[in-house]
């Protein structure tokens, strides 16, 4: 109940600003509240089942860690992929730069890098084929959110064009 209530408040804010609102992991809530879409991980519902529930007009994002997962997600109706590039060799669930690049080369849908990305390390993703990044703490943990957003945007645009 509380999740749905908060989601509806966020959806209202997003719609006022012309920003799509996606629900993370909860397909039923996304359907119930008529969200713009949903993002699911590999341990959540299969992309083709999500697409069957939400229909063809909703945005469907899927997390992928391998080329095989990425290709299957695209085949089953994903509109974009989220990939967690590795920050160190100890990140067992994350993917290497080489795998990220291979995923981008294997699919025709947009790929977004997510997880631990900052203004300081975003340049390491140059040439991978991603179309952008998704961040939370890089902005919200900053003392000046507006400046952090502008700085990260500039660094990301530079990385995308390098």
């Amino acid at each position: 109940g509380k999740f749905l209530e908060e989601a509806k408040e966020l959806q209202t804010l997003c719609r006022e600003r012309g920003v799509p609102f996606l629900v993370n992991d909860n397909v039923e809530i996304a359907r119930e509240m008529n969200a713009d879409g949903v993002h699911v991980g590999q341990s959540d519902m299969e992309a083709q089942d999500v697409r069957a529930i939400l229909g063809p007009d909703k945005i469907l994002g899927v997390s992928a860690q391998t080329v095989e997962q990425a290709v299957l997600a695209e085949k089953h109706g994903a509109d974009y992929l989220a990939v967690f590039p590795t920050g160190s060799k100890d990140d067992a669930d994350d993917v290497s730069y080489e795998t990220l690049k291979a995923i981008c080369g294997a699919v025709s849908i947009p790929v977004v890098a997510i997880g631990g990305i900052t203004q300081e390390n975003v340049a390491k993703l140059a040439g991978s084929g991603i179309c952008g990044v998704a961040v939370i703490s890089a902005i919200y943990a900053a003392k000046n959110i507006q400046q952090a957003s502008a700085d990260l945007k500039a660094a990301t645009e530079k990385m995308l064009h390098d």
Side-chain angles (χ1 to χ4, degrees):
K2 185 165 175 55
F3 183 93
L4 180 59
E5 182 181 315
E6 289 177 354
K8 285 181 177 178
E9 289 177 28
L10 290 170
Q11 182 180 39
T12 298
L13 290 172
C14 287
R15 287 200 171 146
E16 287 171 358
R17 290 160 177 81
V19 175
F21 179 77
L22 279 66
V23 174
N24 188 43
D25 295 336
N26 197 321
V27 178
E28 288 306 317
I29 292 241
R31 183 188 53 76
E32 181 178 336
M33 66 181 293
N34 195 28
D36 297 303
V38 68
H39 185 92
V40 295
Q42 288 297 312
S43 62
D44 300 315
M45 190 180 294
E46 290 289 334
Q48 65 186 2
D49 297 330
V50 175
R51 183 59 73 203
I53 291 169
L54 295 183
D57 298 329
K58 300 296 182 179
I59 300 168
L60 172 55
V62 177
S63 296
Q65 296 169 307
T66 67
V67 171
E68 293 79 15
Q69 289 173 351
V71 169
L72 188 62
E74 180 179 36
K75 179 181 173 186
H76 288 166
D79 295 303
Y80 74 90
L81 300 171
V83 178
F84 292 79
T86 188
S88 73
K89 293 187 188 301
D90 297 329
D91 296 330
D93 290 339
D94 296 351
V95 301
S96 67
Y97 176 88
E98 292 78 21
T99 301
L100 175 63
K101 190 171 182 175
I103 288 171
C104 292
V107 297
S108 60
I109 57 177
V111 177
V112 176
I114 184 171
I117 297 166
T118 64
Q119 176 191 346
E120 293 75 28
N121 68 15
V122 72
K124 293 178 181 179
L125 301 172
S128 64
I130 62 169
C131 69
V133 299
V135 300
I136 297 174
S137 60
I139 294 173
Y140 289 105
K143 290 180 181 171
N144 183 332
I145 291 173
Q146 190 169 9
Q147 186 63 52
S149 299
D151 292 345
L152 182 60
K153 180 180 179 187
T156 301
E157 287 175 346
K158 182 178 184 322
M159 175 272 301
L160 291 171
H161 295 100
D162 279 352

